[in-house]
Amino acid sequence: MGTTWLGIACGIVAGALWGLVFLAPELASAFTPLQLAAGRYLAYGLFAVLLVLPRWRTLCAGLGLREWWALAWLSLLGNILYYALLATAVQLGGMAMTSLVIGFLPVAVTVIGSRDHGAVSVRKLVPSLLLGAAGILCIGWQAVGDALGDGRTGMPMAEMTGLLCAVGALVSWTVYAVGNSRWLARLGHVSAHDWSLLTGVVTGAQALLLAVPAFLFARSGHAAGEWLHFAAVVTGVAILASIVGNAFWNRMSRLLPLTLVGQMILFETMFALLYGFLWEQRLPTGMEHAALVCVTGSVLSCVAAHRAKPPHPEAGRQPAAA
């Protein structure tokens, strides 16, 4: 269980850092989601290149066309597309609604992971999944209550678009989480940190293409102070969430089975809510307190379901190369 708890600790740190991405669109609301995505991943790519440069030839020698193709589609789904959709959802639908939809990630990843060889069955994960669903419903009930309190009887088109973008982000990151975990299990000769940096290099190259329509064709101009603020936000998110957060997540992915990896995504939702409370300068409501309790109980229940399982085959060692 020592390896399991180490993996959980890495998952908590990753969730705390990834929760910041929900706050960034509010901090730089004057800029479009495409500009936020392009700026963040240009910075991510730049830092990744600087960090991986001393080992570039050694790493490239162990990668073939198949691995580079995997890095390309993982970077697109897990970074560029996901963040553009998430930022749009936050700006159009708000942090609460976006957190609610993204909160379904643990359910999706856990159910998919339960089909892996030797994984804990869905039946044993029912208590954990129910607690996670209860937490999500608490958050959703709070969002619906806020809408009714404002006297709204329907969902405006902007919020509907935000909801669809949040669902798209959910699908995009679910595919990434499952695919990334399985690729890490195949690549014993590439460390989790180096895989994260290589993902950053590829994402940075994709961001160069995204930057053209994002910045050159933007209709509204910004003052120098706004650009400095934007640069500070995207650079901070790139370092904390993309560089450090991804490194902790990849380390966790090698220590835990995919069914437990799915539950770790709950911490991103929990920290996103906590940052939202700080941003709005308020305490959690009763329903939000209940959601946090359910999220915590969901993770602990999932850990208990894995106690009877033998150690994860990748835990404590480097997996064999594909």
Side-chain angles (χ1 to χ4, degrees):
M1 286 301 293
T3 300
T4 299
W5 286 112
L6 176 59
I8 291 172
C10 291
I12 293 173
V13 175
L17 294 171
W18 281 356
L20 295 171
V21 305
F22 288 80
L23 190 56
E26 296 286 1
L27 293 173
S29 58
F31 293 84
T32 68
L34 282 181
Q35 289 173 333
L36 286 168
R40 172 188 174 181
Y41 292 121
L42 282 172
Y44 179 24
L46 175 61
F47 287 116
V49 167
L50 293 176
L51 291 172
V52 82
L53 197 57
R55 302 185 305 283
W56 180 254
R57 290 187 178 181
T58 303
L59 287 174
C60 288
L63 298 177
L65 182 60
R66 189 182 175 198
E67 286 75 21
W68 284 109
W69 173 248
L71 283 167
W73 70 263
L74 287 172
S75 298
L76 180 62
L77 289 177
N79 290 325
I80 300 290
L81 181 60
Y82 169 73
Y83 193 61
L85 290 171
L86 183 141
T88 304
V90 169
Q91 291 187 350
L92 295 180
M95 288 182 66
M97 183 277 293
T98 306
S99 298
L100 162 66
V101 176
I102 300 301
F104 281 99
L105 273 168
V107 178
V109 175
T110 300
V111 170
I112 294 173
S114 67
R115 302 180 63 182
D116 284 4
H117 177 70
V120 173
S121 66
V122 173
R123 180 178 57 83
K124 292 183 178 180
L125 295 171
V126 167
S128 177
L129 294 175
L130 288 177
L131 283 169
I136 293 167
L137 288 175
C138 288
I139 300 170
W141 186 266
Q142 177 72 38
V144 171
D146 290 344
L148 294 176
D150 294 338
R152 290 177 288 170
T153 58
M155 180 176 286
M157 182 58 68
E159 291 190 9
M160 178 62 74
T161 303
L163 176 60
L164 292 175
C165 288
V167 172
L170 168 67
V171 174
S172 178
W173 213 88
T174 298
V175 176
Y176 162 78
V178 174
N180 188 63
S181 181
R182 289 174 175 169
W183 268 102
L184 281 169
R186 297 185 187 125
L187 298 171
H189 59 288
V190 180
S191 72
H193 181 57
D194 284 339
W195 183 253
S196 175
L197 293 178
L198 288 170
T199 303
V201 172
V202 175
T203 303
Q206 294 174 349
L208 284 173
L209 300 177
L210 182 63
V212 175
F215 293 106
L216 293 184
F217 302 136
R219 295 180 180 179
S220 58
H222 299 282
E226 290 179 313
W227 280 112
L228 288 175
H229 177 74
F230 171 78
V233 170
V234 297
T235 300
V237 172
I239 294 174
L240 295 175
S242 296
I243 298 289
V244 184
N246 286 5
F248 275 101
W249 179 265
N250 286 339
R251 177 60 177 159
M252 179 270 299
S253 295
R254 276 186 164 164
L255 294 172
L256 302 178
L258 189 53
T259 45
L260 190 51
V261 166
Q263 296 299 303
M264 294 299 100
I265 307 171
L266 284 168
F267 285 109
E268 180 185 15
T269 301
M270 184 171 69
F271 279 103
L273 287 171
L274 291 176
Y275 298 149
F277 300 148
L278 293 174
W279 175 254
E280 297 172 4
Q281 297 182 351
R282 66 178 177 88
L283 294 173
T285 64
M287 293 301 291
E288 289 166 341
H289 268 121
L292 294 176
V293 171
C294 289
V295 166
T296 304
S298 175
V299 175
L300 293 177
S301 176
C302 190
V303 172
H306 285 79
R307 282 182 176 175
K309 296 291 294 179
H312 185 47
E314 308 306 331
R317 67 176 179 85
Q318 295 295 331

